[in-house]
């Protein structure tokens, strides 16, 4: 895919893709309920549609009525007669490992595409095995396909040395069906959607410290109440157009119906530190703060990032584009987790920025980018949607060619349409 440069744009964007993390969670959490759940604005991308197919295979009734997803949970979950295909979604696979490991006497096999089956699952499987889960897979249950023989699990007191919402949620889902209460502790607060949503559904997840890094989870005594929700727009997806507005002169964008959870808008806060003009307004607080973000173009300056990495791990490739367009040397550290995402994102960012003529230093846990003159080139996406989208945004300013842009559909199926909406000229 080739994209040609544009001069500027002004837009109000309402059709940004729905939040992927929350769509996955509502689909999987519906299996804990009694009754019929109703989900408006569910993300219909490849990853989240795979999750709907999985919960169907587990016995749920799922149907789409005029764009609204209805899910009726089965009375009990039984072994399916098929492999559960997670596609490219680490979120789906890790959460399901936690959930399914506690379904007694049933058998499940989880697999995905070539990229997902190369990503580490031991961070979830290992603590679960220690409390009685029966989980098998390649490389000692680190690589999918993953096989699970459900069992009644003990309670646990687990410390996670990485801040990962996927690990936390997987352990919470296992704990909800454990024999006794469990404790989960993490090195720093990861995204906290699961705790917020599950508590509003009737679960009992208690914070034990002011930092919210230590929680107690009580097993469910009965099924949770069915929910009716509207999924907000994804701040990680909205961020690409915030970035575009920053790097293109005389540009302004209003991003509507966006989730404003503080663990999800850290990348916007980094742009503010770089000099971007950003304002926020809350319009809805049904289950979390939702609202509008207004971003205007600005001259960007370099920044150093070494904390709250878990809050902006998905946006770092896009932030690297901002670094390349900024004045000075920007640095990211403590982000080794980028090595095990859909691609090795540190390697992918460094290689592609170097192709663009930018001076980049690679670290084991991050990189340094010196802003400078950028040239149009051909970018390798490595099958990673966030690498492809980040460099397409850079292409709005300088022009770019992206290989394997099909991967964008895993998370943001209307991304190209929005690019065209703001004036981009895109072709093969």
């Amino acid at each position: 895919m080739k994209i040609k440069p544009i001069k500027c744009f002004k837009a109000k964007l309402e059709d940004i893709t729905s939040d992927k993390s929350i769509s996955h969670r509502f689909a999987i959490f519906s299996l804990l309920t009694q009754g019929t759940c109703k989900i408006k604005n569910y993300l219909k991308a490849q990853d989240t549609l795979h999750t709907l197919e999985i919960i169907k295979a587990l016995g749920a009734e799922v149907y789409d009525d005029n764009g609204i997803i209805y899910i009726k949970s089965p009375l009990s979950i039984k072994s399916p007669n098929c492999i559960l295909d997670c596609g490219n979604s680490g979120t789906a696979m890790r959460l399901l490992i936690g959930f399914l490991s506690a379904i007694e006497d049933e058998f499940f096999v989880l697999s995905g595409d070539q990229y997902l089956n190369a990503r580490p699952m031991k961070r979830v499987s290992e603590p679960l095995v220690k409390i009685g889960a029966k989980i098998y897979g390649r490389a000692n249950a680190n690589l999918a396909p993953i096989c699970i023989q459900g069992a009644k699990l003990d309670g646990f007191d687990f410390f996670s040395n990485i801040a990962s919402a996927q690990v936390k949620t997987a352990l919470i889902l296992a704990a909800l069906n454990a024999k006794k209460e469990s404790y989960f502790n993490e090195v720093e607060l990861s995204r906290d959607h699961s705790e917020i949503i599950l508590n509003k559904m009737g679960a009992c997840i208690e914070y034990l410290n002011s930092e919210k890094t230590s929680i107690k989870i009580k097993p469910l005594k009965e099924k949770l109440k069915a929910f009716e929700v509207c999924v907000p727009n994804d701040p990680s997806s909205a961020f690409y157009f915030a970035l575009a507005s920053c790097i293109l002169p005389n540009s302004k964008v209003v991003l509507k119906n966006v989730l404003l959870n503080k663990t999800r808008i850290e990348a916007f806060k980094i742009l503010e530190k770089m000099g971007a003009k950003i304002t926020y307004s809350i319009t809805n607080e049904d289950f979390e703060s939702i609202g509008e973000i207004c971003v205007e173009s600005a001259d960007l300056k370099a920044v150093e990032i070494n904390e709250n990495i878990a809050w902006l791990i998905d946006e770092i490739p896009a932030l690297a584009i901002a670094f390349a367009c900024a004045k000075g040397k920007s640095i990211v550290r403590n982000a080794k987790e980028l090595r095990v995402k859909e691609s090795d994102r540190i390697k992918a960012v460094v290689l592609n920025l170097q192709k663009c003529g930018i001076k980049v230093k690679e670290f084991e846990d991050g990189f340094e980018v010196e802003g400078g003159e950028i040239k149009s080139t051909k970018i390798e996406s490595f099958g990673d949607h966030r690498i492809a989208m980040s460099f397409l945004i850079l292409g709005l300013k300088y022009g770019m060619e992206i290989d394997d842009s099909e991967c964008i559909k895993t998370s943001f199926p209307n991304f190209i349409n929005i690019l065209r909406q703001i004036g981009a000229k895109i072709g093969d």
Side-chain angles (χ1 to χ4, degrees):
M1 180 177 289
K2 294 180 180 178
I3 184 168
K4 295 181 179 180
I6 63 174
K7 291 182 178 181
C8 64
F9 76 98
K10 288 182 171 59
K12 292 183 179 180
L13 301 180
E14 297 187 44
D15 56 347
I16 308 159
T17 192
S18 321
D19 192 273
K20 184 157 71 90
S21 296
I22 288 183
S23 292
H24 280 305
R25 281 164 172 76
F26 278 137
I28 294 169
F29 294 173
S30 72
L31 296 173
L32 297 167
T33 68
Q34 183 172 9
T36 300
C37 297
K38 180 179 179 182
I39 309 174
K40 299 177 182 177
N41 203 36
Y42 184 87
L43 175 61
K44 294 175 183 175
Q46 290 174 353
D47 279 358
T48 47
L49 291 174
H50 274 292
T51 299
L52 286 183
E53 290 302 314
I54 286 172
I55 67 170
K56 274 196 226 177
L58 294 173
E61 296 178 25
V62 181
Y63 59 96
D64 185 332
D65 184 8
N66 292 321
I68 300 173
I69 300 295
Y70 293 85
I71 303 172
K72 184 177 181 182
S73 178
L75 293 176
S76 61
I77 292 172
K78 302 296 183 185
S79 304
N81 64 356
C82 60
I83 291 173
L84 302 174
D85 182 5
C86 299
N88 188 247
S89 177
T91 299
M93 182 170 285
R94 293 189 179 118
L95 269 57
L96 286 163
I97 289 172
F99 175 72
L100 297 174
S101 66
I103 307 298
E104 285 188 84
D105 302 323
E106 302 298 332
F107 183 76
F108 313 93
V109 180
L110 295 166
S111 191
D113 65 16
Q114 61 177 321
Y115 303 106
L116 179 57
N117 284 4
R119 295 177 66 185
M121 296 296 143
K122 199 169 184 177
R123 60 184 59 185
V124 171
S125 64
E126 189 170 58
L128 289 169
V129 167
K130 288 180 179 178
I131 60 170
K134 299 174 182 178
I135 303 172
Y136 313 93
R138 296 182 301 126
N140 197 21
N142 189 39
L143 301 176
I146 295 287
C147 301
I148 301 167
Q149 179 69 59
K152 189 66 176 177
L153 304 182
D154 294 325
F156 58 81
D157 189 345
F158 178 70
F159 177 79
S160 177
N161 57 12
I162 58 170
S164 167
Q166 294 176 3
V167 172
K168 177 168 62 177
T169 306
L171 271 290
I172 288 173
L173 289 170
L176 290 175
N177 285 313
K179 295 176 185 177
K180 58 184 180 180
E181 63 189 26
S182 299
Y183 298 84
F184 180 88
N185 310 278
E186 56 187 344
V187 64
E188 63 180 5
L189 178 64
S190 61
R191 294 174 177 178
D192 56 358
H193 306 306
S194 296
E195 305 97 291
I196 293 170
I197 294 169
L198 287 166
N199 276 334
K200 291 205 172 181
M201 290 170 61
C204 185
I205 302 171
E206 180 185 348
Y207 291 111
L208 301 179
N209 61 2
S210 59
E211 295 84 10
K212 299 185 176 181
T213 57
S214 181
I215 58 175
K216 179 171 72 174
I217 310 115
K218 291 186 178 180
L220 297 180
K221 294 181 179 178
E222 58 186 8
K223 286 204 167 191
L224 300 176
K225 57 190 176 186
F227 52 79
E228 180 176 333
V229 294
C230 181
V231 179
N233 288 335
D234 192 327
S236 299
S237 297
F239 186 73
Y240 294 105
F241 297 97
L243 171 64
S245 181
C246 282
I247 67 174
L248 289 170
N250 303 313
S251 295
K252 180 179 179 180
V253 67
V254 177
L255 307 162
K256 302 177 78 67
N257 191 37
V258 177
L259 182 66
L260 297 180
N261 179 302
K262 75 172 185 177
T263 68
R264 294 297 303 281
I265 59 170
E266 182 71 3
F268 291 89
K269 298 298 183 181
I270 298 298
L271 277 185
E272 286 186 77
K273 289 180 181 178
M274 296 180 72
K277 302 171 185 175
I278 303 180
T279 57
Y280 311 84
S281 58
I282 295 174
T283 57
N284 187 310
E285 291 192 272
D286 280 349
F287 70 97
E288 291 210 51
S289 295
I290 298 166
E292 296 182 357
I293 305 176
C294 179
V295 186
E296 298 182 58
S297 58
D299 292 330
L300 300 178
K301 61 180 184 291
V303 69
E304 291 191 19
I305 306 171
N306 55 30
E307 59 183 8
N308 291 335
I309 298 297
W311 296 4
L312 48 77
I313 198 74
D314 287 336
E315 294 88 352
I316 288 177
L319 279 170
I321 302 303
F323 301 163
C325 297
K327 184 177 181 180
K329 294 180 181 179
S330 297
I331 299 174
V332 175
R333 299 304 297 251
N334 298 326
K336 193 174 180 180
E337 181 71 8
L338 288 169
R339 297 277 185 193
V340 292
K341 302 299 282 185
E342 282 83 339
S343 69
D344 179 339
R345 286 180 176 161
I346 293 175
K347 179 181 176 181
V349 165
V350 169
L351 174 67
N352 285 311
L353 284 180
Q354 287 173 340
K355 283 186 169 188
C356 294
I358 292 296
K359 293 179 182 178
V360 189
K361 288 182 182 178
E362 180 175 348
F363 310 128
E364 182 60 25
D365 64 345
F367 45 79
E368 177 187 277
V369 179
E370 183 176 348
E373 188 173 338
I374 294 170
K375 65 180 182 181
S376 177
T377 188
K378 185 173 182 178
I379 299 300
E380 294 181 52
S381 73
F382 296 93
D384 189 327
H385 54 127
R386 298 203 185 275
I387 299 297
M389 289 188 284
S390 297
F391 281 89
L392 278 169
I393 294 300
L394 186 60
L396 285 173
K397 188 173 177 69
Y398 297 100
M400 288 290 160
E401 181 178 354
I402 315 290
D403 78 340
D404 192 12
S405 58
E406 190 73 11
C407 59
I408 292 170
K409 293 180 182 178
T410 63
S411 67
F412 201 158
N414 62 330
F415 178 75
I416 302 303
N417 288 340
I418 297 178
L419 281 178
R420 290 192 171 113
Q421 182 181 329
I422 65 173
K425 295 179 181 178
I426 298 172
D428 298 327

